[in-house]
């Protein structure tokens, strides 16, 4: 539950650089590899970062891909 | 006699690949392709199983249903990867790129499973619960009650029928976006864009009527 007086205003706010799900997901693997390589994906892909801040399903996919790649690398030693 | 080293496979974008990605591409294009495809299928299944396990606590179903989702996601992800491998641009490792398809298939299949199980039910009284979702209770000020009334009016007056339907399902009734995708026979990008445009219109309307500031420019 949102619990502060600006919650509605924040919910309705949109970021003009948000490219939508299709373009963000197209770059999601590069975004994740940049993150896991110690880089700054928000700086390299500001549009993808804007989308992930706003889109719950794509953000969940991002978390899932990060976890999967980490598991894969741990398994590979 | 010197021997030429085999050329490093390049991505569709022409960039040199890391060693592991190059090895995957060589294997998938080589004489032992069948073994490489089997290895890729096993890897995608591992990714899909890991993802359904990660999400299990958030889902109202589990056990064999999740196993089936993982199996189907891995199979469909394999088909997608093999269909698109020649377009792999090398902007990430091959395994990260391929794993993405398994994750997206898991998402999509969970949405479809939700829809088959529960469908989409819209509560005609959902507006009554909205203030609580935004942290408003009976002791909230008059201004907030007026803002909710203004929001409701704006939803009725400035949104298109499709935007209103999507707003009411996702925002008022908390229907997961990927479930609404199945209900409307659409795709995530289209539903997100419709909701994005709806939010922008509603904010502009509320700002025009003095309920909130204008959208900050970034």
């Amino acid at each position: 539950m949102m619990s502060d007086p600006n919650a509605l205003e924040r919910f309705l706010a949109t970021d003009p650089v948000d490219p939508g799900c299709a373009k963000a997901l197209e770059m999601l693997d590069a975004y994740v590899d940049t993150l896991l390589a110690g880089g700054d994906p928000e700086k390299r892909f500001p549009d993808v970062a804007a989308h992930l801040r706003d889109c719950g399903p794509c953000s969940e996919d991002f978390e899932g891909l990060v976890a999967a790649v980490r598991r894969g690398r741990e398994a590979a030693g | 006699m010197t021997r030429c080293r085999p050329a490093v496979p390049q991505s569709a974008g022409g960039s040199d690949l890391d060693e592991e990605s190059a090895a995957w591409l060589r294997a998938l294009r080589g004489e032992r392709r069948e073994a490489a495809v089997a290895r890729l299928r096993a890897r995608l299944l591992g990714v899909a199983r890991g993802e359904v396990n990660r999400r299990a606590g958030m889902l109202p179903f589990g056990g064999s249903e999740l196993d089936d989702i993982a199996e189907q996601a891995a199979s469909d992800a394999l088909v997608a990867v093999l269909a698109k491998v020649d377009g792999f641009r090398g902007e990430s490792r091959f395994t990260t790129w391929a794993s993405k398809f398994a994750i997206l298939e898991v998402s999509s299949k969970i949405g479809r499973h939700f829809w088959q199980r529960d469908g989409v039910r819209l509560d005609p009284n959902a507006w009554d619960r909205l203030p609580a979702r935004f942290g408003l209770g009976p002791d909230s000020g008059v201004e907030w009650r007026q803002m909710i009334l203004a929001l409701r009016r704006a939803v009725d007056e400035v949104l298109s029928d499709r935007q209103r339907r999507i707003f009411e399902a996702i925002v008022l009734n908390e229907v997961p976006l990927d479930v609404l995708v199945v209900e409307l026979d659409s795709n995530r990008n289209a539903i997100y864009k419709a909701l994005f445009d709806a939010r922008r219109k509603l904010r502009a309307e509320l700002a025009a009527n003095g309920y909130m500031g204008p959208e900050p420019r970034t």
Side-chain angles (χ1 to χ4, degrees), chain A residues 2 5 13 18 29 33 54 61, chain B residues 92-93 107 144 188 192 199:
Chain A
M2 298 174 230
D18 183 341
D29 45 315
D33 270 0
D54 254 11
D61 291 342
Chain B
S92 66
R93 293 184 185 206
S107 267
W144 272 97
R188 187 189 287 180
Y192 180 82
R199 287 160 54 211

Side-chain angles (χ1 to χ4, degrees), chain A residues 1-51:
Chain A
M1 180 178 108
M2 298 174 230
S3 60
D4 75 82
N6 295 319
L8 177 60
E9 191 163 356
R10 279 206 310 280
F11 169 72
L12 294 178
T14 52
D15 191 329
V17 305
D18 183 341
C21 304
K23 287 187 179 169
L25 291 177
E26 197 178 307
M27 297 309 299
L28 190 67
D29 45 315
Y31 190 95
V32 166
D33 270 0
T34 301
L35 175 74
L36 296 181
D40 185 350
E42 293 195 19
K43 191 173 177 186
R44 186 175 169 202
F45 306 103
D47 50 347
V48 178
H51 182 72

Side-chain angles (χ1 to χ4, degrees), chain B residues 80-91:
Chain B
V81 169
L82 294 178
K84 295 180 179 180
V85 68
D86 287 338
F88 173 60
R89 297 178 58 82
E91 289 162 327

Side-chain angles (χ1 to χ4, degrees), chain A residues 1-9 11-16 18 20-22 25-30 32-33 51 54-55 57-58 60-61 63-65 67-69 71-73, chain B residues 43 46-47 50-51 54-55 58 91-93 96-97 99-100 103-104 107 132-135 144 147-148 151 167 171 177-178 188-189 192 196 199-200 202-203 206 212-213 215 218:
Chain A
M1 180 178 108
M2 298 174 230
S3 60
D4 75 82
N6 295 319
L8 177 60
E9 191 163 356
F11 169 72
L12 294 178
T14 52
D15 191 329
D18 183 341
C21 304
L25 291 177
E26 197 178 307
M27 297 309 299
L28 190 67
D29 45 315
V32 166
D33 270 0
H51 182 72
D54 254 11
C55 181
C58 289
E60 199 60 52
D61 291 342
E63 298 289 342
L65 187 55
V69 174
R71 279 196 307 272
R73 291 181 189 175
Chain B
R43 183 147 192 154
V47 169
E51 183 61 0
R54 192 185 72 83
R55 296 188 187 208
M58 300 180 261
E91 289 162 327
S92 66
R93 293 184 185 206
T96 306
W97 178 77
S99 297
K100 178 177 72 174
I103 300 290
L104 299 183
S107 267
R133 288 193 56 211
F134 286 97
W144 272 97
M147 186 188 283
I148 293 295
L151 175 66
F167 182 90
V171 181
L177 195 150
D178 283 337
R188 187 189 287 180
N189 192 63
Y192 180 82
F196 182 93
R199 287 160 54 211
R200 196 164 42 79
L202 293 172
R203 171 148 185 158
L206 292 179
M212 53 183 64
E215 188 95 69
T218 54

Side-chain angles (χ1 to χ4, degrees), chain B residues 147-166:
Chain B
M147 186 188 283
I148 293 295
L149 287 173
L151 175 66
R152 188 167 188 171
R153 196 164 50 243
V155 166
D156 286 340
E157 292 175 0
V158 304
L159 299 189
S160 68
D161 289 345
R162 181 175 171 80
Q163 287 170 340
R164 187 178 311 112
R165 186 177 183 190
I166 289 169

Side-chain angles (χ1 to χ4, degrees), chain B residues 118-129:
Chain B
D118 300 330
V120 169
R121 286 183 229 127
L122 302 184
D123 178 359
N125 299 316
W127 272 104
D128 297 340
R129 295 196 307 272

Side-chain angles (χ1 to χ4, degrees), chain B residues 35-74:
Chain B
V37 169
R39 201 154 49 91
L40 179 58
R41 169 72 166 69
R43 183 147 192 154
L44 295 174
L45 181 57
V47 169
R49 281 181 174 153
E51 183 61 0
V52 296
N53 287 336
R54 192 185 72 83
R55 296 188 187 208
M58 300 180 261
L59 302 174
F61 43 85
S64 63
E65 290 171 285
L66 290 183
D67 292 341
D68 289 347
I69 286 172
E71 286 283 350
Q72 290 167 18

